[in-house]
Amino acid sequence: MTLLQDFIYEDPKQQIWTASVGSAVDGASIPPIFWSLIGGPFEGRYRNASVVHDTECTPPYKHDWRDVHRMFYFACRAGGVPEAEAKLMFAAVYQFGPRWTWKAVRPPKKKTVSPLYDTLRMKALLRKNPDVSLKTIEGFTHELLINEVSDDEVEQERRIYQQSLMSKNRGRR
């Protein structure tokens, strides 16, 4: 998608984020592996947040990757995304989204075994503790998630996820 005009988002700290006219947006804020879990890149209440996030994740970088991912969360909330869903999307982009060197500081390497299963673990953890802070989400690691979420809880989330996929597929017939 190409923007026909500037799109501006003002975050809770009154920082202005601009997706400029002519910017190409591909919905990369929502990696394809998560489309069936969250939705496609050009649908849903998070679409506008995705537009600004996409442009901020494209060189030349104007902000630290951590700030860009936090902005995505707040833009999702401003767009009407429920808090738990916005936290899950934030966790996914923070853990699996793009990272870049900022002011000569290299980002930490991503450590994960399975983005889908770690996301299901995050979803189970958020279901148990919906008040978890963004700072805590930023500290999620595969090891922490394994310690906090049982295999049974992950299996329950996987079943819910599969039922959702089957329901969506029936609706497409």
Side-chain angles (χ1 to χ4, degrees):
M1 173 170 78
T2 302
L3 297 181
L4 300 178
Q5 61 186 30
D6 286 351
F7 180 80
I8 297 169
Y9 166 67
E10 183 177 343
D11 72 17
K13 294 181 179 178
Q14 284 76 49
Q15 180 169 347
I16 302 296
W17 301 80
T18 303
S20 299
V21 63
S23 295
V25 179
D26 64 2
S29 293
I30 312 294
I33 191 171
F34 300 117
W35 289 359
S36 54
L37 190 67
I38 297 168
F42 300 115
E43 60 191 56
R45 295 179 180 171
Y46 53 82
R47 186 178 89 167
N48 290 343
S50 176
V51 167
V52 180
H53 189 261
D54 277 3
T55 60
E56 290 291 335
C57 290
T58 305
Y61 303 114
K62 298 175 276 198
H63 303 279
D64 182 275
W65 64 272
R66 292 168 194 87
D67 296 333
V68 171
H69 297 335
R70 282 185 210 111
M71 174 276 300
F72 178 69
Y73 167 80
F74 289 111
C76 282
R77 293 292 290 137
V81 175
E83 184 177 13
E85 186 179 342
K87 283 182 176 178
L88 180 62
M89 290 192 298
F90 168 72
V93 298
Y94 192 90
Q95 296 298 326
F96 312 117
R99 297 177 176 190
W100 51 86
T101 299
W102 182 251
K103 296 188 179 179
V105 176
R106 290 188 172 280
K109 293 193 185 236
K110 298 178 199 173
K111 297 178 192 173
T112 186
V113 174
S114 166
L116 180 59
Y117 272 87
D118 277 358
T119 301
L120 291 173
R121 283 185 191 281
M122 286 181 220
K123 191 168 185 180
L125 183 63
L126 290 167
R127 188 181 305 277
K128 288 193 309 189
N129 184 5
D131 296 328
V132 67
S133 70
L134 297 184
K135 191 74 169 163
T136 300
I137 292 170
E138 291 169 358
F140 281 172
T141 63
H142 177 71
E143 293 76 19
L144 175 109
L145 290 168
I146 286 174
N147 289 333
E148 294 291 324
V149 179
S150 72
D151 289 343
D152 289 341
E153 291 169 305
V154 174
E155 180 59 22
Q156 179 182 350
E157 290 298 336
R158 188 192 64 75
R159 281 195 295 269
I160 293 168
Y161 170 66
Q162 281 189 319
Q163 289 171 349
S164 171
L165 282 178
M166 289 175 16
S167 175
K168 286 180 184 178
N169 287 337
R170 276 194 292 268
R172 292 182 186 148
R173 292 181 192 171

